Amino acid sequence: MTAVVRGRVTQDQAVAFFDTSFGLLPRTLTAQEAVITGPALSRWGTASDGFTDLEVGFPVDRRITPDGEVVPSDLPAGRIARVVHEGGFDSLDVTWDRLRSWIVEQGLTPADDRWEIYLTEPDPRMNPADLRTELNWTVN
């Protein structure tokens, strides 16, 4: 189970969407006594016309009740290809491309669901090389 904020954003709007979402989530989670059970995550959906469907949030110990922009969700079940990206967010696309190539090389088909789990919490004072992000992609 996850508690997320959903949106449809352009690439240029993504950082602001993350910031806004992480500002909204704590109030709802505290009010509903939901406990965060893991690191922050984002789930990337279908892209079209320059926009991408995006969910930003946390795994939680219970299904929350929708509260404004904060809604319950779930990560997909099934077969998943996974890799850990080491380094800054600006090079995530390279690792996503590498994961996609690996999936195809295995004779599998990348499905629509993919998500990132932020294993290290970003901090403006940290070295981006220290960031670790788990990339997950459902496969058929």
Side-chain angles (χ1 to χ4, degrees):
M1 290 171 281
T2 60
V4 301
V5 176
R6 287 188 181 128
R8 188 159 173 77
V9 300
T10 65
Q11 191 67 29
D12 292 340
Q13 297 168 329
V15 171
F17 183 78
F18 273 80
D19 291 344
T20 300
S21 299
F22 287 130
L24 295 171
L25 286 154
R27 182 188 56 80
T28 297
L29 298 180
T30 299
Q32 296 189 28
E33 299 179 350
V35 176
I36 295 172
T37 60
L41 57 89
S42 63
R43 183 174 173 191
W44 298 83
T46 306
S48 63
D49 299 324
F51 289 86
T52 302
D53 294 324
L54 179 59
E55 291 184 355
V56 174
F58 295 99
V60 290
D61 69 338
R62 68 193 70 199
R63 191 150 195 88
I64 64 158
T65 302
D67 179 20
E69 295 180 67
V70 180
V71 297
S73 189
D74 291 294
L75 291 177
R79 198 168 183 192
I80 299 164
R82 175 178 294 134
V83 67
V84 174
H85 170 80
E86 298 181 2
F89 299 134
D90 57 342
S91 59
L92 278 170
D93 58 339
V94 173
T95 305
W96 276 117
D97 288 344
R98 196 174 86 228
L99 181 57
R100 180 187 242 312
S101 294
W102 183 87
I103 291 168
V104 171
E105 288 169 9
Q106 305 311 303
L108 302 169
T109 304
D112 291 336
D113 283 310
R114 59 190 183 106
W115 64 97
E116 300 171 354
I117 298 176
Y118 306 104
L119 302 173
T120 50
E121 186 174 340
D123 182 305
R125 298 167 300 219
M126 77 183 306
N127 181 343
D130 295 333
L131 288 169
R132 300 294 178 265
T133 307
E134 182 182 281
L135 308 184
N136 298 274
W137 206 325
T138 56
V139 296
N140 299 318

